[in-house]
Amino acid sequence: MLDAILPIMRQHKSGHILNVSSLGGLRAFAGFGYYHASKFALEGLSESLSLEVAPLGIQVTLVEPGDFKTDFASRSAKENPKPLADYAATAGQNIANLKKLSGNQPGNPAKAAKIIYALTEETSKAPLHLLLGQDAYIRALEKLQAMQDSFNENYALTIQTDD
C-alpha cells in the first residue's frame, strides 16, 4: 500500500500516514505475545518511516488506543484451546481479565474517530505517537518509567563494554 501512495505524497511534498497500533505496541502483557509482536513491528516500521519522510513534508502518526468498546475482547479474541496450567496465573489471568472487561472498556470509538479525523485535517506537526484513552496514557508512562529505572539501575554494567 505504501508503495502506491508514497510516490504521490513525495510528489506533492505532503501527506499524513496513520498506522493503527495500540498500547500493545508500546508494552507487553502476558498472554498476548503474537499480538504484541505485530504491533511492536508496526511501531518500529512507523518510527523509521517517519524519519525518512519527514524531510519530504510527510507526517506519520501511530494511533495507540488503550481499551475501547470494540469486539477485541470478545468474538475477535482467539484463545488457545489447550491452555497450560503453568501459565494460569499470568497469561490465563490476563485473558480472563480481558474477557471481564469486554463491553465495559472506557474508550469510546466514536470519540476516537473524531480525534483521528481532526488530526488529519491539521496542517501543523502531528504527533508520532497518539495515545488514546487515559488507560493508555497511564500504562505507557508506567512502561517508560520502568525502562528508565532499569537503564539507570544497570548503567554501570551497560558502560563496561566501552573502550
Side-chain angles (χ1 to χ4, degrees):
M1 178 87 123
L2 283 177
D3 290 344
I5 195 67
L6 273 176
I8 297 166
M9 290 180 169
R10 286 194 303 265
Q11 180 182 359
H12 291 276
K13 301 284 187 216
S14 68
H16 194 160
I17 299 166
L18 296 168
N19 284 330
V20 180
S21 182
S22 83
L23 174 64
L26 296 173
R27 65 172 291 176
F29 299 93
F32 302 95
Y34 290 121
Y35 177 77
H36 294 306
S38 66
K39 295 302 184 180
F40 273 64
L42 181 61
E43 296 273 334
L45 171 78
S46 299
E47 288 185 15
S48 180
L49 179 62
S50 73
L51 297 170
E52 296 167 11
V53 300
L56 307 173
I58 303 167
Q59 300 186 77
V60 176
T61 296
L62 280 154
V63 179
E64 299 159 328
D67 294 323
F68 272 72
K69 288 180 186 77
T70 66
D71 69 354
F72 175 82
S74 58
R75 65 186 173 103
S76 290
K78 300 292 182 211
E79 195 174 338
N80 184 349
K82 297 179 183 178
L84 298 174
D86 291 342
Y87 301 107
T90 55
Q93 187 59 55
N94 274 349
I95 292 167
N97 290 342
L98 181 68
K99 285 180 179 179
K100 284 183 210 170
L101 185 63
S102 184
N104 298 304
Q105 299 96 323
N108 181 322
K111 288 182 178 181
K114 286 180 182 177
I115 290 169
I116 294 165
Y117 180 78
L119 183 67
T120 65
E121 296 292 301
E122 286 287 322
T123 55
S124 61
K125 178 90 172 98
L128 175 58
H129 296 272
L130 177 63
L131 293 167
L132 293 176
Q134 186 173 356
D135 62 322
Y137 179 80
I138 290 168
R139 290 179 176 150
L141 286 184
E142 289 170 351
K143 167 69 182 267
L144 187 61
Q145 186 63 57
M147 288 179 69
Q148 187 173 14
D149 292 347
S150 178
F151 294 161
N152 290 337
E153 187 177 304
N154 294 291
Y155 179 72
L157 187 61
T158 298
I159 62 171
Q160 288 181 22
T161 60
D162 294 347
D163 286 331

